[in-house]
Amino acid sequence: EPEVTQTPSHQVTQMGQEVILRCVPISNHLYFYWYRQILGQKVEFLVSFYNNEISEKSEIFDDQFSVERPDGSNFTLKIRSTKLEDSAMYFCATQGPTRGRGEQYFGPGTRLTVT
Amino acid sequence: RKEVEQDPGPFNVPEGATVAFNCTYSNSASQSFFWYRQDCRKEPKLLMSVYSSGNEDGRFTAQLNRASQYISLLIRDSKLSDSATYLCVVGYNNNDMRFGAGTRLTVKP
């Protein structure tokens, strides 16, 4: 069964450093998402991406965040200057080629720890 | 008001019990509805979509009431493996999803 993969599984970084989280979507999926989940809290939407551009972003997704699909397969989330409060689990999710009621499939997540 | 609200839980039930989870959402423009389950420190996994007519998948039954902006999930004959956090998820026009905080279920022998 096709699955979404994410790397790294765990990233430890110092405050102020840049991090790039990577996701490989399911091959025929066209809609991509990033979510975060702070430990013990709910899953929060960050951004959605379709046709090489952001289609929606939340208030969490400020200028420190960016996304891109550099090579047509990987989908990345970059945090330019990490803060302590960025420590969380970051999930990539992807959705199939048809818009509408499509379900999203989540990767296993990257645990980001900012020290 | 939170966009998606769920029973706070936790629910602790014996094997074989029937348990019901409720969820309400605030945005009447919501178009798609799902239940996901999340095991500890794992990613959310789709359990089932929720349709206006209600739908059933084995021991799981989901209901949607658009007028009341209410979604439910019923689990019959609960198993130990059903222990998880159940997430109510609501989608909008562009399929951006909003998650409830989740309800933790523990099924005990």
Side-chain angles (χ1 to χ4, degrees):
Chain A
E1 185 180 322
E3 57 183 26
V4 178
T5 59
Q6 289 185 243
T7 54
S9 56
H10 191 189
Q11 174 89 50
V12 181
T13 190
Q14 288 190 324
M15 197 167 53
Q17 296 297 303
E18 174 183 286
V19 294
I20 297 176
L21 311 183
R22 292 183 168 79
C23 169
V24 178
I26 294 172
S27 62
N28 66 338
H29 283 195
L30 299 179
Y31 300 89
F32 313 115
Y33 308 82
W34 283 102
Y35 295 86
R36 79 170 187 192
Q37 187 174 32
I38 296 169
L39 187 63
Q41 298 188 23
K42 69 175 184 178
V43 175
E44 297 175 292
F45 167 75
L46 291 178
V47 66
S48 59
F49 189 86
Y50 169 70
N51 201 23
N52 286 318
E53 60 183 26
I54 290 173
S55 47
E56 187 82 14
K57 59 183 180 180
S58 72
E59 60 276 7
I60 302 168
F61 193 88
D62 61 23
D63 292 343
Q64 295 297 317
F65 292 88
S66 62
V67 289
E68 63 175 359
R69 200 156 180 241
D71 55 10
S73 59
N74 290 291
F75 177 52
T76 62
L77 174 70
K78 182 191 291 185
I79 309 175
R80 263 179 272 282
S81 177
T82 49
K83 303 187 282 286
L84 294 176
E85 54 265 37
D86 293 328
S87 294
M89 193 73 147
Y90 288 81
F91 293 109
C92 170
T94 74
Q95 183 176 322
T98 54
R99 208 158 185 179
R101 296 186 55 85
E103 297 89 356
Q104 295 181 16
Y105 294 88
F106 282 71
T110 292
R111 181 169 300 282
L112 177 65
T113 302
V114 182
T115 62
Chain B
R1 184 180 171 189
K2 294 178 185 174
E3 287 181 287
V4 182
E5 292 202 63
Q6 295 187 239
D7 284 346
F11 285 62
N12 298 303
V13 302
E15 267 187 294
T18 295
V19 61
F21 302 139
N22 301 317
C23 171
T24 56
Y25 59 95
S26 61
N27 190 333
S28 59
S30 304
Q31 294 193 329
S32 53
F33 309 91
F34 308 91
W35 285 100
Y36 278 72
R37 69 170 277 167
Q38 187 175 28
D39 294 290
C40 190
R41 296 182 179 270
K42 299 285 190 181
E43 73 274 23
K45 290 190 176 177
L46 179 68
L47 180 65
M48 58 196 303
S49 301
V50 187
Y51 303 113
S52 296
S53 54
N55 48 301
E56 187 174 307
D57 183 2
R59 298 181 293 108
F60 299 85
T61 301
Q63 298 277 351
L64 167 64
N65 184 322
R66 284 186 183 268
S68 303
Q69 295 179 199
Y70 170 90
I71 307 160
S72 66
L73 176 69
L74 184 77
I75 305 176
R76 289 182 298 279
D77 187 25
S78 41
K79 314 288 185 195
L80 296 177
S81 57
D82 293 334
S83 297
T85 297
Y86 288 82
L87 309 175
C88 175
V89 183
V90 174
Y92 301 93
N93 282 340
N94 50 7
N95 291 309
D96 298 328
M97 310 252 268
R98 297 294 183 266
F99 284 70
T103 302
R104 182 181 289 180
L105 171 67
T106 301
V107 181
K108 298 186 175 180

